[in-house]
Amino acid sequence: MTKKDDIEVANKKTLEEFVESYFPDATWKTWTHPITKTTYQLSMQTASVLSSSDFTACFNLIESTSSEDYRKSKEGWKPKAKKREMKLLDLKYLLVKRDTTVEGFMSFMPTYEDDFPVVYCYEIHLREELRGQSHRAVSFYSKLGYTKDEFSPPPRILRNGTKVEAEYVILSKAIS
């Protein structure tokens, strides 16, 4: 008997089947901001069916929230490459909308990383009014059981002994 490949199964599902299998409780479709009490609608899309206006809104969020950090990084800010990445075949988008306006999103993909099945989160971007502070985000993921992944880039030690932290951290959480 052939072993079932859970990643292949997940990626072959239609969007409707994916949502039904992995988000069966419909309560995930709304979120209320804990301070402002504003209600937002959540929806799932695939890269292939994401409307051009939603795609542009997601790209604009990346540009406004992170392009400066990309510019400071070794790789730099490459908008065309980022747009290509945003259209990867198996990429899924969890959109956060207020009325018809994209206020935030998370893009992710069930895939393999170093031969391990994972749900790889590519991006999480929120408009400023929906964001907390960086240390609160780290605390949030820590409380959920995420830790620094063994494949997270280590700090560099310069010739003079100065320790320079990596430009990013990869967090992971083992699940059964």
Side-chain angles (χ1 to χ4, degrees):
M1 188 166 155
T2 315
K3 187 175 184 281
K4 179 175 72 167
D5 183 334
D6 292 329
I7 297 299
E8 186 178 339
V9 168
N11 286 330
K12 282 188 174 181
K13 290 181 183 285
T14 66
L15 181 60
E16 292 76 22
E17 291 168 339
F18 187 89
V19 169
E20 187 177 304
S21 295
Y22 305 113
F23 295 81
D25 182 354
T27 59
W28 72 270
K29 293 182 179 183
T30 60
W31 174 72
T32 302
H33 191 286
I35 297 170
T36 67
K37 305 301 182 205
T38 303
T39 299
Y40 296 85
Q41 295 75 44
L42 306 179
S43 64
M44 188 77 69
Q45 294 294 326
T46 60
S48 61
V49 299
L50 191 64
S51 72
S52 61
S53 62
D54 285 347
F55 179 87
T56 299
C58 289
F59 177 79
N60 289 343
L61 268 172
I62 295 170
E63 189 169 43
S64 69
T65 61
S66 298
S67 65
E68 197 56 43
D69 291 325
Y70 277 108
R71 282 185 185 92
K72 293 175 189 173
S73 75
K74 183 173 76 173
E75 297 297 319
W77 172 238
K78 299 176 181 167
K80 288 181 183 175
K82 178 53 70 181
K83 287 179 180 179
R84 276 193 306 276
E85 177 187 276
M86 291 174 69
K87 293 181 180 179
L88 290 172
L89 182 62
D90 293 324
L91 203 59
K92 297 182 177 37
Y93 286 82
L94 181 63
L95 302 176
V96 179
K97 289 186 171 184
R98 184 168 174 208
D99 300 319
T100 59
T101 304
V102 174
E103 300 287 341
F105 77 94
M106 177 183 79
S107 59
F108 65 96
M109 179 191 305
T111 189
Y112 286 94
E113 184 79 17
D114 300 305
D115 296 325
F116 291 100
V118 300
V119 176
Y120 191 100
C121 178
Y122 280 78
E123 310 271 354
I124 299 175
H125 293 276
L126 300 167
R127 295 213 182 280
E128 188 172 350
E129 55 273 13
L130 298 181
R131 273 186 264 144
Q133 297 171 335
S134 181
H135 69 277
R136 284 179 48 210
V138 172
S139 175
F140 170 78
Y141 288 108
S142 294
K143 286 178 186 174
L144 293 175
Y146 287 83
T147 58
K148 187 174 179 178
D149 191 274
E150 65 182 284
F151 296 103
S152 193
R156 292 182 299 127
I157 306 297
L158 303 180
R159 281 181 259 167
N160 68 2
T162 303
K163 183 178 176 181
V164 178
E165 292 297 330
E167 295 172 338
Y168 62 94
V169 174
I170 298 173
L171 299 176
S172 64
K173 176 181 175 180
I175 57 173
S176 54

